Amino acid sequence: MPTYIALLSWTDQGAQNYKDTAKRAETFGSAVQKLGAKLLSIYWTIGPYDVVAVVEAPDDETATAALLQLGGVGNVRSTTLRAFGREEVERIIAKAAG
């Protein structure tokens, strides 16, 4: 399954409710699973992003739906990156090389 890296920044609402962040992460994991995706890992970070989540989803549409649901709650804003594993990038390079 494709992998997605979600860089999350707390909104004012999310920062005010920081004590609930671990519970919110658990809720996000359950919501992602209901869509057919999986929350592989989540990290709380220092710097321009407050949280980094690694999600596997069957396709871009499912990943987008999961992050729309997350953003709709109002605690975070997200920037999402499609990540490629070694085998995937080797196939990409082979295609590019012709």
Side-chain angles (χ1 to χ4, degrees):
M1 268 200 283
T3 302
Y4 302 85
I5 310 296
L7 307 173
L8 307 172
S9 298
W10 285 340
T11 61
D12 288 343
Q13 174 182 306
Q16 289 170 359
N17 296 310
Y18 70 90
K19 292 179 183 178
D20 298 331
T21 188
K23 184 168 176 42
R24 291 194 312 250
E26 186 177 315
T27 301
F28 175 59
S30 296
V32 165
Q33 194 168 9
K34 287 178 185 174
L35 292 172
K38 183 177 180 184
L39 177 60
L40 296 179
S41 55
I42 191 160
Y43 301 96
W44 286 262
T45 58
I46 298 171
Y49 299 100
D50 300 301
V51 181
V52 176
V54 182
V55 176
E56 267 187 350
D59 51 49
D60 291 347
E61 291 84 3
T62 303
T64 302
L67 290 159
L68 283 172
Q69 284 183 352
L70 177 64
V73 176
N75 292 308
V76 294
R77 288 184 195 87
S78 66
T79 300
T80 306
L81 308 167
R82 169 63 166 92
F84 297 91
R86 182 185 178 112
E87 290 179 9
E88 290 173 301
V89 83
E90 286 175 348
R91 287 192 305 266
I92 292 167
I93 291 168
K95 283 183 182 183

